[in-house]
Amino acid sequence: MPQQRRAQATRRAIVIAAAEEFDRADYDATPLSAILRRSGVTKGAFYFHFPSKEALALALIRLQAQSWSRLWRHWMRRGLDPLSTAVGMTGEATRMLESDVLTRAGTRLAGQQVGTAAERHAPPDWEKLLAELLTRSADNGLLRAGVDPGAVARVMHAALVGVRAIGFEYRNGPGMAARITEIWRVVLEGIASAEWLSNNDRSRP
Amino acid sequence: MPQQRRAQATRRAIVIAAAEEFDRADYDATPLSAILRRSGVTKGAFYFHFPSKEALALALIRLQAQSWSRLWRHWMRRGLDPLSTAVGMTGEATRMLESDVLTRAGTRLAGQQVGTAAERHAPPDWEKLLAELLTRSADNGLLRAGVDPGAVARVMHAALVGVRAIGFEYRNGPGMAARITEIWRVVLEGIASAEWLSNNDRSRP
Amino acid sequence: MPQQRRAQATRRAIVIAAAEEFDRADYDATPLSAILRRSGVTKGAFYFHFPSKEALALALIRLQAQSWSRLWRHWMRRGLDPLSTAVGMTGEATRMLESDVLTRAGTRLAGQQVGTAAERHAPPDWEKLLAELLTRSADNGLLRAGVDPGAVARVMHAALVGVRAIGFEYRNGPGMAARITEIWRVVLEGIASAEWLSNNDRSRP
Amino acid sequence: MPQQRRAQATRRAIVIAAAEEFDRADYDATPLSAILRRSGVTKGAFYFHFPSKEALALALIRLQAQSWSRLWRHWMRRGLDPLSTAVGMTGEATRMLESDVLTRAGTRLAGQQVGTAAERHAPPDWEKLLAELLTRSADNGLLRAGVDPGAVARVMHAALVGVRAIGFEYRNGPGMAARITEIWRVVLEGIASAEWLSNNDRSRP
DNA sequence: ACTCTCGGGACTCCCCGTTAAT
DNA sequence: ATTAACGGGGAGTCCCGAGAGT
């Protein structure tokens, strides 16, 4: 166990270098050699830690799935009202995407056909999560009458994915987190109850 | 002249086969051989029409840019109010993405790092276009007071991109066009003037 | 058609170089690179002619199977008595193995697990062929009473294979063809009828 | 000493696993990893016991050479007449090949180019041994007049090797030992003196 | 002192986009 | 417009030692 100190470091180096490379290009367009060069790890060492390039990508995907799970649990436990939870959680998720290569690469890889669908196993389903939070918001009277929570969930999901894609591709403009804040501002204006809006005036940290 | 007839047909066959292949996988993951097999064109013939695989991809990107330009011109000429134009145009664009492989492949390729950025030359900037339409909408009193047209443009742009990405990746759920309609419905509720809303009741085909 | 002239030459060069290399070591122990170096053919050229290393080996196996078929047909048509046919045919086969690398390599490869058994398809069955010839010999009274033709066929088959293996491995001693002649001499002494022996005195060419 | 107990067991496990693997495929086609997996020994442990994969193979070859030596000594001491000794000894050798993986693998490896010829050092020379026994048989009047003992030795050697090769490759038919018995029957009919034959009627155990 | 984990690269086959010869 | 050839680079496997661990 203490023996594995060096091994752990090597494995970590591989994962980080891989994240940085997979963040720049597709799975297919990223040669293993680039990851090896960046991490300063030889082929032999790599294949000691991972059975294949694909396994490495799947590891990244799994890491990112875990990140989201942790994030969700954390926000659920904070005990905020569902609408604030949705806003806050998506905001933090976006900031994570901006700041954490590992999460970013994992998310990106999850959207490509790497490995069998089974191996990627159930990607984190933002749409369903948002639908739940918004339904509960409606039940608690945080949404205006007549607003369809499912529709709003789909809107926000699309916007989230879009912001991510724009952030990945264009890499300029307001920055992902700012964009998400802006989107919530516009959408909330149309769906949130007057009461919720007045209570959460201009606080979207 | 009769000679060029056949050349045109060959070129067209290549482009269509390429679109169908590039629509299924990334640029890198799509071997030229697959395109040749599908189009029934030999290697030699291909290299007569295109200097490289990359040039073919760039041709598809250019084609899609032209599609969008045509679409824009068309909707500008219809003389609708700017807000209806934005709604109608994005709807039709989405339907095109759903029905036309060529446009779809081109759009997808445009989002990957194929060729130098210069060669892809200015991608069609939906965000700017929407900003213009929405600014004019604000000037014409079609938006509620206090609504920031630029922000709305960014929201819709993100949503558009997101819908496209979701459609590409997940390939299930409401379908792109239905999603876009839904998004407009939610967003318009928050930004459109009461007058515009009453005039454009539930007509988002 | 005149065009294929060069292709044929290249293909031939590959096949011959492959035979020479496969004759020196096992399929697995023979790197493709050695074949390419020897033939002066580049990787690209090779893979234009053969889809894989395995396909090349299978081609050699097929070539050798054809050689044997041709040999059999030739000796069958000569109209000799069955016993003389068996003796003459095995002798010539052995001389072919000694002189022709192609046949030798093919025979050797056929005995290894290259490709699926189906792809190697029915190896030439010397044992069955010898059994037929010897049975006919018995029917024609060329064998002594009480001799079991099947048993003799198995003996000779084993001896043939053994001579081949010895020749491949040890590469010294009397030479394959001489060994086969010798074996026949010993065995015939015990099985051939007095009449046949006197008619075929010391003529084993 | 109690230490060496476990070491011996490990070494033995390696040797047996190696035999089983080398019996299935060529030296080159057998990865060291397969042997390690089968024996449950780690790479490090392996390289403690053997300096290289080749050394392991050579150990197997040596083991088999010793097996043969022991077999020879045993039959020499039995005091049978030389011809019966030859028959009995080859029979038992074949049965050993059938039943003992270790001997089988060693014999197989001895026939491949593993290590330098010097390292394999003088393979057990069946041909010479048979020649000696048969010469003595001739001297003792066990062979018919005019029979060349050396020729018969070469015949039987080839048959032996052939039977082994057939047994390795085809794995069907009468079984090695039965084939050897059959071969002796046919050959003896032609070479053994009437007296020997009548004394050793149908006893080839 | 002794295991054996971990790391090192050379080498495997082969697929790829591309060009030369025709 | 086609057939044929080119060679760089893809992932992955191999046998083996360096050096970290007990």
PDB file of all heavy atoms in Angstrom, chain F residues 1-12:
ATOM      1  P    DA F   1     -12.857  12.326 -64.507  1.00  0.00           P
ATOM      2  OP1  DA F   1     -12.780  13.142 -63.407  1.00  0.00           O
ATOM      3  OP2  DA F   1     -13.607  12.373 -65.663  1.00  0.00           O
ATOM      4  O5'  DA F   1     -12.117  10.924 -64.250  1.00  0.00           O
ATOM      5  C5'  DA F   1     -12.467   9.901 -65.124  1.00  0.00           C
ATOM      6  C4'  DA F   1     -11.531   8.743 -64.931  1.00  0.00           C
ATOM      7  O4'  DA F   1     -10.162   9.140 -65.127  1.00  0.00           O
ATOM      8  C3'  DA F   1     -11.572   8.137 -63.528  1.00  0.00           C
ATOM      9  O3'  DA F   1     -11.727   6.750 -63.685  1.00  0.00           O
ATOM     10  C2'  DA F   1     -10.221   8.447 -62.926  1.00  0.00           C
ATOM     11  C1'  DA F   1      -9.361   8.476 -64.175  1.00  0.00           C
ATOM     12  N9   DA F   1      -8.141   9.256 -64.033  1.00  0.00           N
ATOM     13  C8   DA F   1      -7.987  10.493 -63.484  1.00  0.00           C
ATOM     14  N7   DA F   1      -6.747  10.930 -63.508  1.00  0.00           N
ATOM     15  C5   DA F   1      -6.035   9.906 -64.129  1.00  0.00           C
ATOM     16  C6   DA F   1      -4.675   9.744 -64.461  1.00  0.00           C
ATOM     17  N6   DA F   1      -3.760  10.659 -64.210  1.00  0.00           N
ATOM     18  N1   DA F   1      -4.327   8.595 -65.062  1.00  0.00           N
ATOM     19  C2   DA F   1      -5.278   7.677 -65.331  1.00  0.00           C
ATOM     20  N3   DA F   1      -6.564   7.723 -65.072  1.00  0.00           N
ATOM     21  C4   DA F   1      -6.881   8.870 -64.459  1.00  0.00           C
ATOM     22  P    DT F   2     -12.071   5.836 -62.442  1.00  0.00           P
ATOM     23  OP1  DT F   2     -13.209   5.003 -62.800  1.00  0.00           O
ATOM     24  OP2  DT F   2     -12.147   6.689 -61.249  1.00  0.00           O
ATOM     25  O5'  DT F   2     -10.787   4.905 -62.354  1.00  0.00           O
ATOM     26  C5'  DT F   2     -10.184   4.473 -63.578  1.00  0.00           C
ATOM     27  C4'  DT F   2      -8.997   3.582 -63.295  1.00  0.00           C
ATOM     28  O4'  DT F   2      -7.788   4.360 -63.402  1.00  0.00           O
ATOM     29  C3'  DT F   2      -8.965   2.928 -61.924  1.00  0.00           C
ATOM     30  O3'  DT F   2      -8.679   1.551 -62.084  1.00  0.00           O
ATOM     31  C2'  DT F   2      -7.854   3.657 -61.187  1.00  0.00           C
ATOM     32  C1'  DT F   2      -6.928   4.073 -62.325  1.00  0.00           C
ATOM     33  N1   DT F   2      -6.163   5.305 -62.018  1.00  0.00           N
ATOM     34  C2   DT F   2      -4.807   5.356 -62.297  1.00  0.00           C
ATOM     35  O2   DT F   2      -4.198   4.424 -62.787  1.00  0.00           O
ATOM     36  N3   DT F   2      -4.200   6.541 -61.980  1.00  0.00           N
ATOM     37  C4   DT F   2      -4.800   7.663 -61.419  1.00  0.00           C
ATOM     38  O4   DT F   2      -4.159   8.665 -61.178  1.00  0.00           O
ATOM     39  C5   DT F   2      -6.207   7.540 -61.149  1.00  0.00           C
ATOM     40  C7   DT F   2      -6.952   8.679 -60.544  1.00  0.00           C
ATOM     41  C6   DT F   2      -6.816   6.383 -61.463  1.00  0.00           C
ATOM     42  P    DT F   3      -8.785   0.553 -60.898  1.00  0.00           P
ATOM     43  OP1  DT F   3      -9.840  -0.403 -61.248  1.00  0.00           O
ATOM     44  OP2  DT F   3      -8.841   1.286 -59.618  1.00  0.00           O
ATOM     45  O5'  DT F   3      -7.375  -0.164 -60.978  1.00  0.00           O
ATOM     46  C5'  DT F   3      -6.672  -0.195 -62.217  1.00  0.00           C
ATOM     47  C4'  DT F   3      -5.186  -0.250 -61.957  1.00  0.00           C
ATOM     48  O4'  DT F   3      -4.679   1.066 -61.645  1.00  0.00           O
ATOM     49  C3'  DT F   3      -4.779  -1.140 -60.781  1.00  0.00           C
ATOM     50  O3'  DT F   3      -3.654  -1.892 -61.187  1.00  0.00           O
ATOM     51  C2'  DT F   3      -4.436  -0.140 -59.673  1.00  0.00           C
ATOM     52  C1'  DT F   3      -3.854   0.998 -60.494  1.00  0.00           C
ATOM     53  N1   DT F   3      -3.916   2.336 -59.851  1.00  0.00           N
ATOM     54  C2   DT F   3      -2.814   3.152 -59.898  1.00  0.00           C
ATOM     55  O2   DT F   3      -1.766   2.833 -60.430  1.00  0.00           O
ATOM     56  N3   DT F   3      -2.975   4.375 -59.302  1.00  0.00           N
ATOM     57  C4   DT F   3      -4.110   4.847 -58.667  1.00  0.00           C
ATOM     58  O4   DT F   3      -4.141   5.962 -58.169  1.00  0.00           O
ATOM     59  C5   DT F   3      -5.225   3.939 -58.649  1.00  0.00           C
ATOM     60  C7   DT F   3      -6.495   4.349 -57.986  1.00  0.00           C
ATOM     61  C6   DT F   3      -5.076   2.746 -59.244  1.00  0.00           C
ATOM     62  P    DA F   4      -2.999  -2.979 -60.238  1.00  0.00           P
ATOM     63  OP1  DA F   4      -2.396  -4.020 -61.080  1.00  0.00           O
ATOM     64  OP2  DA F   4      -4.007  -3.351 -59.213  1.00  0.00           O
ATOM     65  O5'  DA F   4      -1.832  -2.164 -59.533  1.00  0.00           O
ATOM     66  C5'  DA F   4      -0.744  -1.705 -60.346  1.00  0.00           C
ATOM     67  C4'  DA F   4       0.185  -0.856 -59.506  1.00  0.00           C
ATOM     68  O4'  DA F   4      -0.515   0.309 -59.017  1.00  0.00           O
ATOM     69  C3'  DA F   4       0.753  -1.553 -58.263  1.00  0.00           C
ATOM     70  O3'  DA F   4       2.159  -1.520 -58.370  1.00  0.00           O
ATOM     71  C2'  DA F   4       0.226  -0.728 -57.082  1.00  0.00           C
ATOM     72  C1'  DA F   4      -0.041   0.624 -57.731  1.00  0.00           C
ATOM     73  N9   DA F   4      -1.086   1.408 -57.095  1.00  0.00           N
ATOM     74  C8   DA F   4      -2.373   1.033 -56.843  1.00  0.00           C
ATOM     75  N7   DA F   4      -3.108   1.964 -56.267  1.00  0.00           N
ATOM     76  C5   DA F   4      -2.237   3.030 -56.132  1.00  0.00           C
ATOM     77  C6   DA F   4      -2.394   4.322 -55.597  1.00  0.00           C
ATOM     78  N6   DA F   4      -3.549   4.768 -55.075  1.00  0.00           N
ATOM     79  N1   DA F   4      -1.328   5.151 -55.620  1.00  0.00           N
ATOM     80  C2   DA F   4      -0.178   4.690 -56.152  1.00  0.00           C
ATOM     81  N3   DA F   4       0.099   3.504 -56.675  1.00  0.00           N
ATOM     82  C4   DA F   4      -0.986   2.707 -56.638  1.00  0.00           C
ATOM     83  P    DA F   5       3.044  -2.201 -57.248  1.00  0.00           P
ATOM     84  OP1  DA F   5       4.235  -2.732 -57.924  1.00  0.00           O
ATOM     85  OP2  DA F   5       2.192  -3.087 -56.424  1.00  0.00           O
ATOM     86  O5'  DA F   5       3.472  -0.951 -56.359  1.00  0.00           O
ATOM     87  C5'  DA F   5       4.277   0.041 -56.987  1.00  0.00           C
ATOM     88  C4'  DA F   5       4.460   1.230 -56.065  1.00  0.00           C
ATOM     89  O4'  DA F   5       3.178   1.777 -55.709  1.00  0.00           O
ATOM     90  C3'  DA F   5       5.167   0.919 -54.743  1.00  0.00           C
ATOM     91  O3'  DA F   5       6.134   1.930 -54.541  1.00  0.00           O
ATOM     92  C2'  DA F   5       4.044   1.008 -53.708  1.00  0.00           C
ATOM     93  C1'  DA F   5       3.195   2.110 -54.337  1.00  0.00           C
ATOM     94  N9   DA F   5       1.808   2.142 -53.887  1.00  0.00           N
ATOM     95  C8   DA F   5       0.900   1.113 -53.939  1.00  0.00           C
ATOM     96  N7   DA F   5      -0.283   1.442 -53.464  1.00  0.00           N
ATOM     97  C5   DA F   5      -0.143   2.767 -53.082  1.00  0.00           C
ATOM     98  C6   DA F   5      -1.039   3.686 -52.502  1.00  0.00           C
ATOM     99  N6   DA F   5      -2.303   3.385 -52.209  1.00  0.00           N
ATOM    100  N1   DA F   5      -0.574   4.924 -52.249  1.00  0.00           N
ATOM    101  C2   DA F   5       0.703   5.215 -52.553  1.00  0.00           C
ATOM    102  N3   DA F   5       1.632   4.430 -53.091  1.00  0.00           N
ATOM    103  C4   DA F   5       1.139   3.216 -53.333  1.00  0.00           C
ATOM    104  P    DC F   6       7.318   1.672 -53.579  1.00  0.00           P
ATOM    105  OP1  DC F   6       8.548   1.861 -54.357  1.00  0.00           O
ATOM    106  OP2  DC F   6       7.049   0.410 -52.854  1.00  0.00           O
ATOM    107  O5'  DC F   6       7.162   2.861 -52.551  1.00  0.00           O
ATOM    108  C5'  DC F   6       6.723   4.140 -52.992  1.00  0.00           C
ATOM    109  C4'  DC F   6       6.299   4.961 -51.801  1.00  0.00           C
ATOM    110  O4'  DC F   6       4.888   4.763 -51.571  1.00  0.00           O
ATOM    111  C3'  DC F   6       6.978   4.593 -50.482  1.00  0.00           C
ATOM    112  O3'  DC F   6       7.751   5.692 -50.078  1.00  0.00           O
ATOM    113  C2'  DC F   6       5.826   4.316 -49.517  1.00  0.00           C
ATOM    114  C1'  DC F   6       4.649   4.999 -50.216  1.00  0.00           C
ATOM    115  N1   DC F   6       3.311   4.421 -49.908  1.00  0.00           N
ATOM    116  C2   DC F   6       2.354   5.210 -49.259  1.00  0.00           C
ATOM    117  O2   DC F   6       2.657   6.366 -48.926  1.00  0.00           O
ATOM    118  N3   DC F   6       1.125   4.701 -49.011  1.00  0.00           N
ATOM    119  C4   DC F   6       0.839   3.456 -49.394  1.00  0.00           C
ATOM    120  N4   DC F   6      -0.381   3.002 -49.140  1.00  0.00           N
ATOM    121  C5   DC F   6       1.801   2.635 -50.051  1.00  0.00           C
ATOM    122  C6   DC F   6       3.027   3.147 -50.292  1.00  0.00           C
ATOM    123  P    DG F   7       9.164   5.490 -49.457  1.00  0.00           P
ATOM    124  OP1  DG F   7      10.046   6.513 -50.023  1.00  0.00           O
ATOM    125  OP2  DG F   7       9.541   4.067 -49.504  1.00  0.00           O
ATOM    126  O5'  DG F   7       8.867   5.874 -47.937  1.00  0.00           O
ATOM    127  C5'  DG F   7       8.350   7.167 -47.680  1.00  0.00           C
ATOM    128  C4'  DG F   7       7.447   7.150 -46.473  1.00  0.00           C
ATOM    129  O4'  DG F   7       6.243   6.396 -46.756  1.00  0.00           O
ATOM    130  C3'  DG F   7       8.054   6.472 -45.223  1.00  0.00           C
ATOM    131  O3'  DG F   7       7.692   7.253 -44.127  1.00  0.00           O
ATOM    132  C2'  DG F   7       7.306   5.149 -45.171  1.00  0.00           C
ATOM    133  C1'  DG F   7       5.940   5.675 -45.589  1.00  0.00           C
ATOM    134  N9   DG F   7       4.962   4.643 -45.895  1.00  0.00           N
ATOM    135  C8   DG F   7       5.187   3.393 -46.418  1.00  0.00           C
ATOM    136  N7   DG F   7       4.085   2.686 -46.555  1.00  0.00           N
ATOM    137  C5   DG F   7       3.096   3.519 -46.097  1.00  0.00           C
ATOM    138  C6   DG F   7       1.703   3.307 -45.999  1.00  0.00           C
ATOM    139  O6   DG F   7       1.062   2.297 -46.319  1.00  0.00           O
ATOM    140  N1   DG F   7       1.033   4.413 -45.487  1.00  0.00           N
ATOM    141  C2   DG F   7       1.653   5.576 -45.096  1.00  0.00           C
ATOM    142  N2   DG F   7       0.861   6.536 -44.608  1.00  0.00           N
ATOM    143  N3   DG F   7       2.955   5.798 -45.180  1.00  0.00           N
ATOM    144  C4   DG F   7       3.611   4.728 -45.690  1.00  0.00           C
ATOM    145  P    DG F   8       8.869   8.031 -43.330  1.00  0.00           P
ATOM    146  OP1  DG F   8       9.579   8.880 -44.286  1.00  0.00           O
ATOM    147  OP2  DG F   8       9.610   7.070 -42.484  1.00  0.00           O
ATOM    148  O5'  DG F   8       7.979   8.953 -42.376  1.00  0.00           O
ATOM    149  C5'  DG F   8       7.000   9.788 -42.966  1.00  0.00           C
ATOM    150  C4'  DG F   8       5.725   9.799 -42.143  1.00  0.00           C
ATOM    151  O4'  DG F   8       4.883   8.667 -42.486  1.00  0.00           O
ATOM    152  C3'  DG F   8       5.929   9.737 -40.632  1.00  0.00           C
ATOM    153  O3'  DG F   8       5.009  10.631 -40.019  1.00  0.00           O
ATOM    154  C2'  DG F   8       5.591   8.281 -40.289  1.00  0.00           C
ATOM    155  C1'  DG F   8       4.530   7.947 -41.320  1.00  0.00           C
ATOM    156  N9   DG F   8       4.467   6.545 -41.699  1.00  0.00           N
ATOM    157  C8   DG F   8       5.517   5.762 -42.089  1.00  0.00           C
ATOM    158  N7   DG F   8       5.169   4.547 -42.384  1.00  0.00           N
ATOM    159  C5   DG F   8       3.803   4.522 -42.165  1.00  0.00           C
ATOM    160  C6   DG F   8       2.866   3.463 -42.314  1.00  0.00           C
ATOM    161  O6   DG F   8       3.072   2.307 -42.673  1.00  0.00           O
ATOM    162  N1   DG F   8       1.577   3.858 -41.984  1.00  0.00           N
ATOM    163  C2   DG F   8       1.230   5.115 -41.568  1.00  0.00           C
ATOM    164  N2   DG F   8      -0.051   5.315 -41.294  1.00  0.00           N
ATOM    165  N3   DG F   8       2.089   6.116 -41.429  1.00  0.00           N
ATOM    166  C4   DG F   8       3.353   5.747 -41.742  1.00  0.00           C
ATOM    167  P    DG F   9       5.212  11.032 -38.505  1.00  0.00           P
ATOM    168  OP1  DG F   9       4.882  12.451 -38.414  1.00  0.00           O
ATOM    169  OP2  DG F   9       6.481  10.495 -37.987  1.00  0.00           O
ATOM    170  O5'  DG F   9       4.028  10.214 -37.811  1.00  0.00           O
ATOM    171  C5'  DG F   9       2.704  10.404 -38.271  1.00  0.00           C
ATOM    172  C4'  DG F   9       1.842   9.287 -37.746  1.00  0.00           C
ATOM    173  O4'  DG F   9       2.202   8.049 -38.381  1.00  0.00           O
ATOM    174  C3'  DG F   9       1.998   9.050 -36.233  1.00  0.00           C
ATOM    175  O3'  DG F   9       0.733   9.245 -35.635  1.00  0.00           O
ATOM    176  C2'  DG F   9       2.449   7.605 -36.117  1.00  0.00           C
ATOM    177  C1'  DG F   9       2.030   7.012 -37.457  1.00  0.00           C
ATOM    178  N9   DG F   9       2.865   5.897 -37.877  1.00  0.00           N
ATOM    179  C8   DG F   9       4.234   5.872 -37.934  1.00  0.00           C
ATOM    180  N7   DG F   9       4.700   4.723 -38.338  1.00  0.00           N
ATOM    181  C5   DG F   9       3.577   3.954 -38.551  1.00  0.00           C
ATOM    182  C6   DG F   9       3.452   2.617 -38.990  1.00  0.00           C
ATOM    183  O6   DG F   9       4.348   1.822 -39.282  1.00  0.00           O
ATOM    184  N1   DG F   9       2.126   2.224 -39.073  1.00  0.00           N
ATOM    185  C2   DG F   9       1.055   3.027 -38.774  1.00  0.00           C
ATOM    186  N2   DG F   9      -0.152   2.479 -38.909  1.00  0.00           N
ATOM    187  N3   DG F   9       1.150   4.281 -38.369  1.00  0.00           N
ATOM    188  C4   DG F   9       2.437   4.669 -38.274  1.00  0.00           C
ATOM    189  P    DG F  10       0.498   9.142 -34.157  1.00  0.00           P
ATOM    190  OP1  DG F  10      -0.286  10.334 -33.825  1.00  0.00           O
ATOM    191  OP2  DG F  10       1.745   8.819 -33.462  1.00  0.00           O
ATOM    192  O5'  DG F  10      -0.461   7.871 -34.064  1.00  0.00           O
ATOM    193  C5'  DG F  10      -1.729   7.916 -34.716  1.00  0.00           C
ATOM    194  C4'  DG F  10      -2.432   6.586 -34.550  1.00  0.00           C
ATOM    195  O4'  DG F  10      -1.920   5.669 -35.525  1.00  0.00           O
ATOM    196  C3'  DG F  10      -2.193   5.930 -33.206  1.00  0.00           C
ATOM    197  O3'  DG F  10      -3.199   6.358 -32.303  1.00  0.00           O
ATOM    198  C2'  DG F  10      -2.372   4.453 -33.537  1.00  0.00           C
ATOM    199  C1'  DG F  10      -1.839   4.361 -34.982  1.00  0.00           C
ATOM    200  N9   DG F  10      -0.449   3.959 -35.084  1.00  0.00           N
ATOM    201  C8   DG F  10       0.642   4.775 -34.977  1.00  0.00           C
ATOM    202  N7   DG F  10       1.771   4.149 -35.115  1.00  0.00           N
ATOM    203  C5   DG F  10       1.404   2.840 -35.320  1.00  0.00           C
ATOM    204  C6   DG F  10       2.205   1.695 -35.530  1.00  0.00           C
ATOM    205  O6   DG F  10       3.438   1.621 -35.577  1.00  0.00           O
ATOM    206  N1   DG F  10       1.433   0.548 -35.687  1.00  0.00           N
ATOM    207  C2   DG F  10       0.057   0.527 -35.656  1.00  0.00           C
ATOM    208  N2   DG F  10      -0.507  -0.664 -35.828  1.00  0.00           N
ATOM    209  N3   DG F  10      -0.695   1.587 -35.471  1.00  0.00           N
ATOM    210  C4   DG F  10       0.041   2.708 -35.298  1.00  0.00           C
ATOM    211  P    DA F  11      -2.921   6.160 -30.784  1.00  0.00           P
ATOM    212  OP1  DA F  11      -3.981   6.910 -30.096  1.00  0.00           O
ATOM    213  OP2  DA F  11      -1.509   6.423 -30.481  1.00  0.00           O
ATOM    214  O5'  DA F  11      -3.178   4.596 -30.596  1.00  0.00           O
ATOM    215  C5'  DA F  11      -4.462   4.102 -30.889  1.00  0.00           C
ATOM    216  C4'  DA F  11      -4.455   2.593 -30.797  1.00  0.00           C
ATOM    217  O4'  DA F  11      -3.360   2.067 -31.577  1.00  0.00           O
ATOM    218  C3'  DA F  11      -4.258   2.074 -29.373  1.00  0.00           C
ATOM    219  O3'  DA F  11      -5.142   0.993 -29.151  1.00  0.00           O
ATOM    220  C2'  DA F  11      -2.813   1.642 -29.349  1.00  0.00           C
ATOM    221  C1'  DA F  11      -2.539   1.244 -30.794  1.00  0.00           C
ATOM    222  N9   DA F  11      -1.146   1.504 -31.178  1.00  0.00           N
ATOM    223  C8   DA F  11      -0.511   2.707 -31.149  1.00  0.00           C
ATOM    224  N7   DA F  11       0.737   2.665 -31.536  1.00  0.00           N
ATOM    225  C5   DA F  11       0.944   1.339 -31.842  1.00  0.00           C
ATOM    226  C6   DA F  11       2.073   0.625 -32.308  1.00  0.00           C
ATOM    227  N6   DA F  11       3.253   1.213 -32.553  1.00  0.00           N
ATOM    228  N1   DA F  11       1.947  -0.697 -32.504  1.00  0.00           N
ATOM    229  C2   DA F  11       0.770  -1.272 -32.255  1.00  0.00           C
ATOM    230  N3   DA F  11      -0.362  -0.717 -31.824  1.00  0.00           N
ATOM    231  C4   DA F  11      -0.206   0.609 -31.629  1.00  0.00           C
ATOM    232  P    DG F  12      -5.309   0.395 -27.724  1.00  0.00           P
ATOM    233  OP1  DG F  12      -6.618  -0.245 -27.679  1.00  0.00           O
ATOM    234  OP2  DG F  12      -4.918   1.395 -26.721  1.00  0.00           O
ATOM    235  O5'  DG F  12      -4.229  -0.769 -27.740  1.00  0.00           O
ATOM    236  C5'  DG F  12      -4.382  -1.818 -28.684  1.00  0.00           C
ATOM    237  C4'  DG F  12      -3.147  -2.700 -28.673  1.00  0.00           C
ATOM    238  O4'  DG F  12      -2.003  -1.955 -29.104  1.00  0.00           O
ATOM    239  C3'  DG F  12      -2.775  -3.261 -27.292  1.00  0.00           C
ATOM    240  O3'  DG F  12      -2.708  -4.661 -27.432  1.00  0.00           O
ATOM    241  C2'  DG F  12      -1.402  -2.672 -27.008  1.00  0.00           C
ATOM    242  C1'  DG F  12      -0.878  -2.419 -28.398  1.00  0.00           C
ATOM    243  N9   DG F  12       0.155  -1.391 -28.484  1.00  0.00           N
ATOM    244  C8   DG F  12       0.037  -0.068 -28.144  1.00  0.00           C
ATOM    245  N7   DG F  12       1.136   0.613 -28.342  1.00  0.00           N
ATOM    246  C5   DG F  12       2.031  -0.323 -28.828  1.00  0.00           C
ATOM    247  C6   DG F  12       3.382  -0.181 -29.208  1.00  0.00           C
ATOM    248  O6   DG F  12       4.079   0.830 -29.197  1.00  0.00           O
ATOM    249  N1   DG F  12       3.924  -1.393 -29.643  1.00  0.00           N
ATOM    250  C2   DG F  12       3.246  -2.569 -29.700  1.00  0.00           C
ATOM    251  N2   DG F  12       3.933  -3.635 -30.150  1.00  0.00           N
ATOM    252  N3   DG F  12       1.989  -2.725 -29.363  1.00  0.00           N
ATOM    253  C4   DG F  12       1.441  -1.558 -28.925  1.00  0.00           C
TER     254       DG F  12
END
